[in-house]
Amino acid sequence: MRYRRMYKDLDVTLKPVFLGAIMKASGNSPPATNPAKGKYMLKDDIPSNSKVFGVNLKPPSNFPFLSLLGQRLLVWVQLNHPDKLEDCTRSIYQLTWGSGTEISDAAILERVQKHIPHKPEITDTIKQKLMDQTKECTDRGAFGLPWIVVTKNGKEHVFFGSDRFEQIFYLLEKPYPGVNPKL
């Protein structure tokens, strides 16, 4: 999303998915469940990424955390107010990673409501849509997030990780502005 202002011809579609189900379906496990990786992530990797990307990163104290309710909220927004999905996604990201807020209880719904005109309702339809989008992601081979699908000339290319943007821009034949472009 950070490159959209620079490249207005990029079509970005956000699809909320449930990371826990992707991990389970692929046989993967969260890196922080490995004690050595978890220690490295919290002590070195997350602080380093914070500096490189120019954003505040402060994981919640219950890291790794359950994101299910936040993702269901985003599906509700996707279906009811798609024009607000990016704002709500950013808000949940900033609550979770910017201030270390725990997002697995109903309080998250109230904190994000400033972007939407009425209180969200998490129904069976919302839950099923999240399951469907998660399955679509795993059917494409996802084993973690971010899972990025780029379509060029009718052919899909998949990328895993926030460190793949240089490859994505190469595929799109666009200059890569770096991880923290001054926009």
Side-chain angles (χ1 to χ4, degrees), residues 3 8 16-17 23 26 34 45 69 77 80-81 83 94 96 99 112 118 121 124 148 164 171 173 175 177:
Y3 302 109
K8 299 197 184 313
V17 295
M23 293 287 203
S26 67
N34 174 302
D45 195 44
L69 185 58
V77 173
N80 293 281
H81 301 283
D83 59 315
Q94 288 169 344
T96 307
S99 64
V112 179
H118 57 279
E121 189 176 338
D124 288 342
I148 303 166
R164 297 296 188 255
L171 172 71
E173 301 176 32

Side-chain angles (χ1 to χ4, degrees), residues 47-62:
S48 176
N49 281 330
S50 182
K51 290 175 188 165
V52 169
F53 290 106
V55 295
N56 184 36
L57 293 174
K58 178 184 176 192
S61 60
N62 64 333

Side-chain angles (χ1 to χ4, degrees), residues 10-39:
L10 293 180
D11 180 25
V12 177
T13 303
L14 299 175
K15 286 191 177 181
V17 295
F18 180 41
L19 179 57
I22 290 172
M23 293 287 203
K24 184 176 181 181
S26 67
N28 200 354
S29 59
T33 59
N34 174 302
K37 286 181 184 178
K39 182 178 176 183

